[in-house]
Amino acid sequence: MSGGPPSSRYAFEDELNLANPPHDPFSIPDEDYDSDEYDNTHPDTDAHEYGEGIHDNNTSRKGPRRSRVELWKDDTRQFNKNGQNFEMVPLSENNDGADQENYFDYDSDDNDNDDDEGQVRPSHYSNFYSSAPLSSDALSSGDDYDTSNTYLSKRIYHYLYPPNVPREVQLLRKENIAVPACYLLVGLLQGLSGPFTNVYPLDLNASEAQQTTISSLKSLPSTFKLAFGFLSDNVPLAGYRRKSYMLLGWAIASLSMIILFTFSDLSVEAIALNNEQTMNEDGSSGRYSLRHLQSSTSEFGEQTNIVGAPPSIPFLSFTLLMFGSGFWFADVMGDSLVAEKAKLEPESSRGHLQSTCYACRFFGLMIAAPLSTVIYSKYGPQSVVMLMAGLPSLILPLIYNLKEKKDVDVASTREQCGEIWNTVCSRAVWQPMGFVYLYNVLQVGNAAWKQFLKTVLNFTSNQLNSLLIAAYVLLWLGIMAYKKFFITWSWRSVYISTTLLNGIFSALQILLIRGITFGLSPFLFALGDDAFADFIGGIQFLPTTIMMVHLCPAGSEGASYAMFTTMSNSAYSLASAFSTLLLGIWDVSKDAMERGDLTGMINLTALTTLIQVSGVLFVGLLPRTKEDLSNLHSDPMSGSKIGGFIFLFVTFASVLYSLVVGVLNIVAPGWSGESR
């Protein structure tokens, strides 16, 4: 769509916007493996549905089976030892063992004498989501109205705290509200920081290369999301794996803006004084020094205010790097908590937790983006920086009240790496993530579209900002629409219908280029086109995030979810590079547009539309539902080392690409052709 595919502008967390494996987990001896015991018709297939299983990769059926107990100590499963028998008991509402469907007994060798003798399941079964009901022993009841001593009516109380979900998933509880608040804060800070980082360097007379450096430094920490997640998975801080790091991240983000506000003058007067003092003899802008301070004096000779120097480009870059580090660190912790809590949702409400959190995020973005523009224009950059410093501090008390188990058993780094390797080797991971990558790579936008709007249609800056604000609003409405109407649709149906509709509205751009707007002004026609595109982007956003959460192995949610989103966003980065390459096929330069030669624009628009729609050809790789995703675990191709290797290669190559580009933008400004 215009200016690039809508979803590429709001990729997972907006990151990557720059351009020793363990032993074989599937080495089950042939004599101990009966494929008939693993098909979906076996009476024990409920174990597959629950996502449970025990298996030691180095032990055959003829020896005692060992188990990695620590990997099962989470909120959705329990492990009991009764004499010589090992029981993996799914946590259910009636956990009394009376119902054979409510537990699975894995006997030791001494008792293996029935038809199910020696059944084992590959270890990657335990990595994926469980659709099992959850036990009151593990989770708190969600319906506590009678004991709550609340003054609210029962209807309002149950609206705030739905009784059909466990207390741990009720986001408005005092012990949980930090999670949606974190997502809301992410959206607010993204909206506030946008105009500041895009406009303020221009006010400081930053060159194109310096602007690129500032942008690179702000987004560089997103490259390390995988490292942030892995750190929190393996090294608890003060006994906690998530809340301590989240608090630390937001504290760093707030401190960075306090430093910027304290040690530099962000007033409009300082900008004007700097521009006046840095003019060279030839009229061009020069550089300024932080050491220089000026005071303004009234006509009576009294000092009225002191105008200091605005921040230097290096100092501004450092504080934004510090801000980005804290921002992305806290963001990864929020994602990790959602990935953990989403597994506790009952089947009837799966996906609602994530849709609520992302609705909070995009609501914050929708509100903050236009607000930031108004505040910056009317009150100057210092007001925006004050908000960016103050908002993270507001969430700190909520994080303190966040309920998280302290001093939990953490698997060794080797074991967690093994679990992640088992996960990415599963067909339930590399096949749907392969679709996500291919689909996103094909969302190649028309990179000349914004130039067309400015040069040919003479859109003003206010009109372009209006398109952006409308995009944020419609993106949020798309999120809400999916939560309300489309959450029960199959994932394939969502992608097929939205892709075809997106293709239709992309093709309408050709009518706008030819001047056919059916009586509407060009602005309204473009507004409707962009608005619907972003509405579609909001609908498409949630299915993949819901799928990714259910691919995360227990205990490694931080690293695995960051890995999945990194791979997804790396595809958008590659699509952006492709869109730039396509500019050389036809003449879509500003000069050609000024001459009235729009043939290249029409051809480029048709080509990019065709490429975007072609993503629907790969929709067969995407499971229809969560049940289909679960069924892929038992597929003969599940456990493919080749699939796992390709997945990890693409992920780490993408991280390396972004890291190299970011570092080059910092150490060699202008290397890609920008003016220095």
Side-chain angles (χ1 to χ4, degrees):
M1 301 300 295
S2 54
S7 51
S8 68
R9 299 199 292 270
Y10 325 103
F12 298 98
E13 320 317 335
D14 222 12
E15 76 273 22
L16 291 179
N17 58 359
L18 314 171
N20 309 307
H23 54 270
D24 183 3
F26 304 99
S27 56
I28 304 175
D30 293 339
E31 66 272 15
D32 295 333
Y33 188 96
D34 183 358
S35 60
D36 291 336
E37 294 179 345
Y38 290 85
D39 65 33
N40 294 333
T41 62
H42 193 277
D44 197 29
T45 52
D46 280 348
H48 169 211
E49 181 181 351
Y50 281 75
E52 306 296 347
I54 69 173
H55 172 54
D56 190 283
N57 302 314
N58 295 327
T59 307
S60 71
R61 178 171 62 86
K62 297 181 180 179
R65 283 194 291 272
R66 295 172 292 171
S67 60
R68 290 176 289 184
V69 178
E70 64 274 21
L71 294 182
W72 295 337
K73 291 182 178 180
D74 59 26
D75 288 335
T76 62
R77 61 203 82 191
Q78 61 186 16
F79 181 77
N80 300 328
K81 179 178 179 182
N82 300 322
Q84 297 298 318
N85 295 333
F86 291 88
E87 290 184 330
M88 174 62 74
V89 185
L91 303 177
S92 63
E93 295 176 355
N94 299 312
N95 191 14
D96 55 8
D99 188 347
Q100 289 296 320
E101 293 183 355
N102 286 342
Y103 73 93
F104 310 104
D105 187 26
Y106 297 87
D107 296 331
S108 65
D109 190 76
D110 295 336
N111 296 323
D112 281 348
N113 52 16
D114 57 6
D115 292 340
D116 293 335
E117 177 181 354
Q119 271 198 343
V120 294
R121 298 186 183 276
S123 60
H124 65 272
Y125 267 67
S126 63
N127 292 343
F128 298 91
Y129 81 96
S130 165
S131 59
L134 300 167
S135 169
S136 58
D137 295 335
L139 302 176
S140 305
S141 171
D143 190 1
D144 61 348
Y145 177 79
D146 295 332
T147 60
S148 63
N149 296 322
T150 181
Y151 293 101
L152 300 175
S153 67
K154 189 171 185 178
R155 181 177 180 181
I156 296 177
Y157 190 86
H158 282 170
Y159 176 80
L160 297 175
Y161 314 115
N164 62 322
V165 299
R167 186 183 180 98
E168 287 79 358
V169 186
Q170 295 173 348
L171 294 177
L172 296 183
R173 296 279 185 183
K174 182 180 72 172
E175 63 268 26
N176 300 325
I177 199 170
V179 178
C182 180
Y183 276 76
L184 177 63
L185 185 56
V186 167
L188 289 173
L189 290 179
Q190 283 181 325
L192 287 172
S193 63
F196 176 76
T197 56
N198 292 334
V199 178
Y200 190 54
L202 294 176
D203 289 340
L204 296 179
N205 298 317
S207 65
E208 290 184 10
Q210 288 174 327
Q211 295 173 45
T212 302
T213 298
I214 292 173
S215 177
S216 298
L217 280 169
K218 183 180 175 234
S219 60
L220 184 63
S222 68
T223 308
F224 300 102
K225 286 183 65 177
L226 181 56
F228 295 158
F230 195 79
L231 176 65
S232 70
D233 288 340
N234 288 270
V235 186
L237 180 63
Y240 297 103
R241 296 197 306 158
R242 312 298 184 201
K243 64 183 293 183
S244 297
Y245 285 116
M246 180 185 287
L247 190 147
L248 178 63
W250 288 128
I252 291 174
S254 179
L255 180 62
S256 66
M257 293 295 99
I258 292 175
I259 292 174
L260 178 62
F261 183 83
T262 303
F263 294 100
S264 60
D265 192 335
L266 301 171
S267 65
V268 176
E269 293 79 8
I271 296 176
L273 183 63
N274 173 72
N275 291 340
E276 180 180 347
Q277 293 174 342
T278 56
M279 295 296 291
N280 295 329
E281 293 182 359
D282 60 357
S284 62
S285 297
R287 304 206 174 200
Y288 56 85
S289 171
L290 269 176
R291 295 190 299 271
H292 183 72
L293 294 176
Q294 294 286 337
S295 62
S296 61
T297 306
S298 70
E299 58 180 330
F300 300 102
E302 298 176 354
Q303 187 182 69
T304 57
N305 66 305
I306 297 178
V307 179
S312 66
I313 297 300
F315 182 66
L316 177 64
S317 300
F318 168 76
T319 55
L320 289 177
L321 173 63
M322 186 177 173
F323 175 82
S325 299
F327 177 92
W328 293 115
F329 210 150
D331 177 75
V332 170
M333 297 307 108
D335 287 340
S336 303
L337 286 168
V338 167
E340 292 173 354
K341 291 181 177 293
K343 296 179 181 180
L344 309 181
E345 285 185 291
E347 182 63 28
S348 60
S349 62
R350 284 195 182 273
H352 284 276
L353 185 144
Q354 285 174 272
S355 60
T356 299
C357 288
Y358 278 108
C360 290
R361 173 190 165 188
F362 289 117
F363 178 79
L365 180 63
M366 175 184 68
I367 295 298
L371 183 63
S372 177
T373 302
V374 173
I375 293 176
Y376 188 96
S377 301
K378 189 170 183 179
Y379 301 104
Q382 73 272 23
S383 299
V384 177
V385 172
M386 289 175 64
L387 285 174
M388 292 172 64
L391 288 177
S393 63
L394 296 179
I395 200 178
L396 300 184
L398 303 181
I399 298 175
Y400 178 81
N401 290 321
L402 178 64
K403 185 177 180 180
E404 181 187 2
K405 289 185 178 180
K406 188 175 183 180
D407 298 321
V408 297
D409 293 332
V410 178
S412 67
T413 300
R414 179 181 178 84
E415 287 176 323
Q416 290 202 37
C417 288
E419 284 297 293
I420 292 176
W421 170 249
N422 293 342
T423 299
V424 300
C425 286
S426 171
R427 186 177 182 182
V429 172
W430 54 258
Q431 177 176 308
M433 288 307 300
F435 164 78
V436 171
Y437 189 85
L438 291 172
Y439 186 90
N440 291 351
V441 162
L442 293 171
Q443 300 310 297
V444 177
N446 185 343
W449 184 252
K450 184 176 292 186
Q451 187 65 56
F452 167 78
L453 295 178
K454 293 174 64 177
T455 303
V456 178
L457 300 183
N458 299 314
F459 277 22
T460 65
S461 297
N462 288 335
Q463 287 177 316
L464 293 176
N465 287 334
S466 298
L467 292 178
L468 183 62
I469 293 171
Y472 290 148
V473 173
L474 269 295
L475 181 68
W476 178 76
L477 290 177
I479 295 286
M480 298 303 295
Y482 181 84
K483 179 181 178 181
K484 185 71 175 178
F485 303 108
F486 303 109
I487 198 168
T488 58
W489 285 31
S490 73
W491 295 335
R492 288 188 187 180
S493 298
V494 169
Y495 265 89
I496 291 174
S497 57
T498 54
T499 301
L500 295 179
L501 285 174
N502 185 60
I504 293 173
F505 277 83
S506 292
L508 290 179
Q509 293 178 358
I510 297 178
L511 297 180
L512 181 59
I513 296 172
R514 291 182 175 275
I516 304 173
T517 60
F518 305 104
L520 297 174
S521 69
F523 174 73
L524 290 178
F525 194 89
L527 180 64
D529 177 36
D530 273 9
F532 196 83
D534 289 285
F535 180 76
I536 291 174
I539 295 175
Q540 286 184 341
F541 184 83
L542 280 175
T544 51
T545 61
I546 293 173
M547 180 182 68
M548 289 176 188
V549 159
H550 297 305
L551 297 178
C552 297
S556 301
E557 292 87 356
S560 54
Y561 190 78
M563 179 173 59
F564 296 146
T565 58
T566 296
M567 183 182 187
S568 174
N569 284 280
S570 66
Y572 286 127
S573 180
L574 191 58
S576 178
F578 286 156
S579 67
T580 303
L581 292 176
L582 294 180
L583 293 176
I585 300 179
W586 296 285
D587 187 1
V588 291
S589 64
K590 182 178 180 180
D591 291 338
M593 295 181 188
E594 290 176 342
R595 295 194 309 267
D597 183 5
L598 301 179
T599 304
M601 273 298 299
I602 294 175
N603 293 338
L604 184 59
T605 302
L607 177 61
T608 54
T609 298
L610 183 62
I611 294 175
Q612 290 177 24
V613 175
S614 66
V616 78
L617 299 176
F618 300 96
V619 77
L621 297 174
L622 185 68
R624 291 182 177 85
T625 62
K626 294 182 287 288
E627 290 71 24
D628 285 352
L629 181 68
S630 178
N631 291 337
L632 287 177
H633 307 331
S634 57
D635 188 271
M637 294 182 66
S638 191
S640 169
K641 291 183 178 180
I642 296 177
F645 174 79
I646 293 175
F647 179 92
L648 291 180
F649 175 80
V650 171
T651 300
F652 286 105
S654 302
V655 171
L656 182 61
Y657 167 79
S658 297
L659 185 61
V660 169
V661 171
V663 171
L664 284 175
N665 286 333
I666 295 167
V667 301
W671 68 276
S672 58
E674 306 95 337
S675 62
R676 301 172 63 90

